[in-house]
Amino acid sequence: MSKSANALTLVLAACLLGGTSAPSAAQQMAGRDVVKPSAKLGLGRAATAEEIAAWDTDVRPDGRGLPVGKGTVKQGDDLFQEKCASCHGEFGQGVGRWPVLAGGAGTLKADRPDKTVGSFWPDLSTVFDYIKRAMPYGNAQSLTNDEVYALTAYILSMNDIVKNEKFELNEKNFTSIKMPNAAAFFEDDRETSEKHFWNKNPCMKDCRPAPKVTGRAMAIDVTPDGKSGPKVE
Amino acid sequence: MTDRTSTETLNRRRFLGAAGLAGAGAALSAIPALAGETAKSEALITDVQDWQRYLGDGVDKHPYGTPSKFEKNVIRRDVPWLTASAESSVNFTPLHDLDGIITPSGLCFERHHGGVAEINPADHRLMINGLVDKPLVFTMDDIKRMPRVNKVYFLECAANTGMEWRGSQLNGCQFTHGMIHNVMYTGVPLKVLLDEAGLKPNAKWLMLEGADSAGMNRSLPIEKALSDVMIAFAMNGEALRPEQGYPLRAVIPGWEGNLWVKWLRRIEAGDQPWQTREETSKYTDLLADGNSRKHTFVMDAKSVVTNPSPQAPLKHKGRNVLSGLAWSGRGTVKRVDVSMDGGRNWQTARIDGPVFDKSVVRFYVDFDWTGQELMIQSRAIDSTGYVQPSKDDLRKVRGVNSIYHNNGIQTWLVRSGGETENVEIG
């Protein structure tokens, strides 16, 4: 308190010496400790339980976030044909250039891997989370929890991960489903597997034999014409 | 001008170029300037031009200015065959038309997964929930009352140069390297917001979530979140562009662009990653043995010569400016080397302009060209000692199906006429 009072006195003294009018409110504030922010800003307000429930729909591999609900393969098939097949195909094979959801098992070492939910995705939770938040494309967040369970069950069936069309997926049996490629992911290891890219003395002179051109983008000829870009008003 | 004199001029130019390359720089200054000798008067100078005679636009004409009409080809471009839908797609920054280190906001490449969300900032909310003492909701006004910082960072899409894993495919640095931009962000350190909610001790990961129709979500380790991550509301001095996340986006310096969640609406604290679609199906890197790296967050040191390049061929013999960009997600760019002979010999380029942490730098090599074929490469070295590898060196470790994180050295073949091509060499 005495510190603030001293500061204020200094401000007043400065004003008097300058022979100007009385200090402005800003000048008075500048001389006080009150402008220093507190540890907590005191901004924002408490989120309500209803608000959190509306936005927090994410689901983790351990099942955390799964809502109560259920759906069978058969129900999922019907829904899929109605809401999904126009892009993803009746059997998840993909229409045109839209994503393929099923098949591709055993192709990950192939020259052209086929990365689908069945062949590639490590966690079933991702299927639920993603459909619930982002599908159908252009009409996101329009599906009920039961519908998402049913669609997830149908996608499992298309990928031969469940075989019975009477199979019902629900929040209780969800985490018992194991995805075929679950074990094939590992955390970024570049700092060890690519350690040789750290090099104190990269070569500067006569580093390699005379190079020859081995590939040309012009030969492939798939680049948009630079002059044919979108029109600008 | 007669044919004879123009031939003479050309020959003298060739001679000058050759002399320059041979390093006879001292001799050059003794030769009288070419321009004055045989030049014909130009009407552009001798006649009064319209812009000198008539009034131009008044100050009331353009409340928000746009580039000159003569720059109408300096635009973002897309490659329609890359994706099934323009709303979940990407376009490319015209790197060959730009200079310095700051990307103009209107030219910053776009990557959306559900189109551009149009949000009135008055309607935007940011929620923090999960493993926090007090779940909170902030308005944009709340966020703009917090202590703010200004930082220049590059944002590079994880898939930048991804179409080039199997070989040269797209002919232009806009298409091969244009999923990058570099701007100044204004915003609030994420730590400030997290402190307000109070992280619980077991909070190890955050999930960032967008308000767009893709509901983009990614897991972010807490160490990174508390170090240099920002929640930004401005770029290059003004509000974010809608396509860059207006009114609020995450800024995750040095890390792959996908994590920089736009239209940011929620941050959840948890004790483990969520394994969202964008960190399992996408943004994981398949190796030749069928296993995949995940959480490959950092963008390694990389560079590209932007001029000359296929969209910006060499037009003149004699003196030219080679220009390019280099960057590293691991720190600052310490050095850029340039080769004109496909990596046989290298010279260190001149970095000009500011060198910031996890920002691009601009480099130059001033050189004389006689018209001989060139194989131009650049090689970035960062503050951790990482040296940008060749594409073949990357393929030896990763194969050709990892889609993301292709930071291999680019080769441009400059042909004798100046035409420049994207090539692979062996």
Side-chain angles (χ1 to χ4, degrees):
Chain A
M1 186 60 212
S2 62
K3 203 174 163 190
S4 318
N6 286 340
L8 184 57
T9 311
L10 279 173
V11 169
L12 283 169
C15 290
L16 288 171
L17 282 170
T20 57
S21 57
S24 69
Q27 283 172 319
Q28 289 188 30
M29 289 295 285
R32 296 184 188 182
D33 286 343
V34 291
V35 293
K36 283 194 180 160
S38 54
K40 288 262 183 192
L41 307 174
L43 294 169
R45 61 156 176 88
T48 70
E50 192 183 10
E51 288 171 336
I52 294 170
W55 277 10
D56 183 354
T57 65
D58 52 74
V59 179
R60 282 194 333 203
D62 61 0
R64 194 185 171 285
L66 278 174
V68 174
K70 60 181 190 307
T72 65
V73 171
K74 179 70 180 68
Q75 289 164 338
D77 189 351
D78 293 344
L79 272 168
F80 193 88
Q81 305 316 323
E82 183 195 335
K83 293 174 187 275
C84 316
S86 62
C87 293
H88 293 296
E90 281 175 76
F91 307 104
Q93 77 275 23
V95 174
R97 311 208 43 248
W98 295 100
V100 178
L101 302 182
T107 66
L108 297 183
K109 292 185 213 171
D111 184 45
R112 301 283 176 173
D114 197 5
K115 293 157 71 182
T116 73
V117 176
S119 70
F120 190 66
W121 291 36
D123 304 295
L124 187 60
S125 54
T126 312
V127 181
F128 193 101
D129 180 75
Y130 184 67
I131 295 174
K132 176 77 180 168
R133 76 175 51 247
M135 289 289 126
Y137 190 61
N139 190 22
Q141 302 197 45
S142 61
L143 298 168
T144 66
N145 289 330
D146 283 355
E147 287 175 325
V148 180
Y149 276 112
L151 287 167
T152 305
Y154 181 61
I155 290 168
L156 287 172
S157 160
M158 287 193 293
N159 280 291
D160 296 322
I161 296 168
V162 302
K163 316 274 190 202
N164 183 349
E165 80 161 20
K166 293 200 176 103
F167 173 79
E168 180 194 275
L169 187 67
N170 55 50
E171 81 280 4
K172 292 186 194 73
N173 67 2
F174 194 96
T175 57
S176 67
I177 309 283
K178 298 298 169 222
M179 301 295 277
N181 197 44
F185 290 81
F186 61 98
E187 294 290 329
D188 183 7
D189 69 342
R190 279 175 288 175
E191 289 184 28
T192 50
S193 63
E194 297 180 359
K195 201 171 178 51
H196 55 293
F197 294 158
W198 279 263
N199 178 3
K200 275 187 187 144
N201 296 302
C203 179
M204 296 297 283
K205 291 268 172 230
D206 301 322
C207 302
R208 55 165 295 164
K212 288 198 180 91
V213 171
T214 56
R216 302 172 58 211
M218 280 183 80
I220 298 169
D221 195 23
V222 292
T223 311
D225 181 352
K227 292 187 179 66
S228 68
K231 284 212 172 71
V232 182
E233 309 92 57
Chain B
M1 185 190 287
T2 65
D3 283 342
R4 199 179 61 82
T5 45
S6 70
T7 308
E8 269 179 14
T9 309
L10 197 62
N11 286 342
R12 292 208 60 173
R13 282 209 181 116
R14 278 192 182 136
F15 168 75
L16 282 175
L21 264 174
L28 276 177
S29 59
I31 296 169
L34 273 174
E37 292 185 52
T38 56
K40 186 178 152 190
S41 295
E42 286 190 283
L44 279 168
I45 295 170
T46 56
D47 295 354
V48 176
Q49 304 296 312
D50 284 356
W51 55 85
Q52 192 170 29
R53 185 179 306 266
Y54 306 115
L55 297 176
D57 287 344
V59 295
D60 54 350
K61 182 83 176 183
H62 303 288
Y64 197 114
T66 51
S68 159
K69 65 183 176 183
F70 303 108
E71 299 295 319
K72 67 179 192 296
N73 281 321
V74 183
I75 51 173
R76 296 184 283 225
R77 291 185 175 84
D78 67 313
V79 179
W81 56 261
L82 271 181
T83 53
S85 154
E87 291 77 27
S88 180
S89 195
V90 66
N91 62 23
F92 301 87
T93 304
L95 300 179
H96 60 292
D97 282 321
L98 304 179
D99 215 320
I101 67 165
I102 297 295
T103 315
S105 298
L107 293 175
C108 288
F109 86 97
E110 303 167 66
R111 172 60 167 128
H112 319 305
H113 293 71
V116 178
E118 281 209 61
I119 304 174
N120 181 338
D123 295 340
H124 192 68
R125 298 291 180 271
L126 175 67
M127 181 185 289
I128 297 182
N129 74 310
L131 295 177
V132 293
D133 297 330
K134 187 180 178 189
L136 292 173
V137 171
F138 299 101
T139 63
M140 287 303 298
D141 279 351
D142 292 333
I143 291 163
K144 289 184 177 178
R145 293 166 66 195
M146 296 174 182
R148 62 184 77 162
V149 291
N150 293 289
K151 297 281 185 181
V152 175
Y153 293 121
F154 76 83
L155 184 171
E156 184 184 18
C157 178
N160 199 20
T161 323
M163 294 83 77
E164 305 287 308
W165 270 110
R166 285 171 181 268
S168 298
Q169 184 162 234
L170 288 161
N171 211 35
C173 70
Q174 178 168 21
F175 301 109
T176 57
H177 290 75
M179 291 189 223
I180 188 168
H181 52 69
N182 198 72
V183 307
M184 175 171 279
Y185 294 97
T186 305
V188 177
L190 176 54
K191 186 179 186 303
V192 170
L193 284 102
L194 295 174
D195 284 348
E196 206 63 6
L199 280 177
K200 291 196 184 294
N202 56 339
K204 301 293 179 210
W205 289 79
L206 301 181
M207 194 207 66
L208 308 183
E209 177 181 270
D212 59 323
S213 72
M216 172 64 62
N217 60 340
R218 282 290 306 249
S219 305
L220 177 72
I222 200 74
E223 298 78 19
K224 179 69 174 175
L226 295 176
S227 60
D228 55 2
V229 171
M230 281 170 72
I231 304 302
F233 47 80
M235 60 192 284
N236 290 338
E238 62 180 351
L240 296 172
R241 293 291 167 95
E243 66 271 28
Q244 303 299 342
Y246 179 81
L248 195 65
R249 85 168 310 163
V251 170
I252 323 282
W255 287 20
E256 61 186 17
N258 182 256
L259 280 146
W260 299 47
V261 174
K262 297 187 284 192
W263 313 288
L264 182 72
R265 77 165 192 182
R266 195 167 67 90
I267 298 168
E268 183 176 346
D271 59 358
Q272 54 182 273
W274 278 258
Q275 314 294 1
T276 72
R277 187 249 198 184
E278 312 299 331
E279 61 203 40
T280 54
S281 171
K282 309 296 177 190
Y283 307 100
T284 51
D285 310 353
L286 177 62
L287 305 182
D289 66 2
N291 291 311
S292 298
R293 290 177 180 156
K294 65 177 176 180
H295 297 139
T296 44
F297 297 126
V298 178
M299 300 307 291
D300 280 315
K302 186 167 173 179
S303 65
V304 65
V305 172
T306 58
N307 308 78
S309 64
Q311 296 159 290
L314 284 184
K315 293 193 285 196
H316 307 281
K317 289 176 184 164
R319 183 45 65 116
N320 277 285
V321 174
L322 179 151
S323 174
L325 293 169
W327 60 95
S328 172
R330 297 187 187 275
T332 54
V333 174
K334 280 291 178 205
R335 192 175 108 195
V336 183
D337 297 331
V338 168
S339 173
M340 302 277 193
D341 58 5
R344 292 187 86 183
N345 298 287
W346 297 86
Q347 59 179 307
T348 297
R350 174 170 62 88
I351 292 174
D352 191 83
V355 177
F356 297 122
D357 183 44
K358 303 176 183 76
S359 156
V360 305
V361 302
R362 173 63 60 177
F363 65 86
Y364 299 106
V365 173
D366 303 296
F367 73 108
D368 292 303
W369 184 53
T370 56
Q372 83 274 35
E373 202 170 84
L374 305 174
M375 290 183 185
I376 292 180
Q377 299 185 331
S378 61
R379 177 175 75 184
I381 302 172
D382 74 17
S383 49
T384 69
Y386 180 98
V387 182
Q388 182 183 0
S390 71
K391 288 182 184 169
D392 283 336
D393 287 343
L394 284 175
R395 290 175 186 129
K396 275 179 207 152
V397 185
R398 306 187 196 169
V400 293
N401 284 321
S402 59
I403 301 178
Y404 308 105
H405 293 282
N406 184 349
N407 65 320
I409 289 172
Q410 175 66 48
T411 308
W412 303 129
L413 172 69
V414 179
R415 289 157 58 179
S416 57
E419 185 183 27
T420 301
E421 288 186 48
N422 174 10
V423 297
E424 292 264 340
I425 56 172

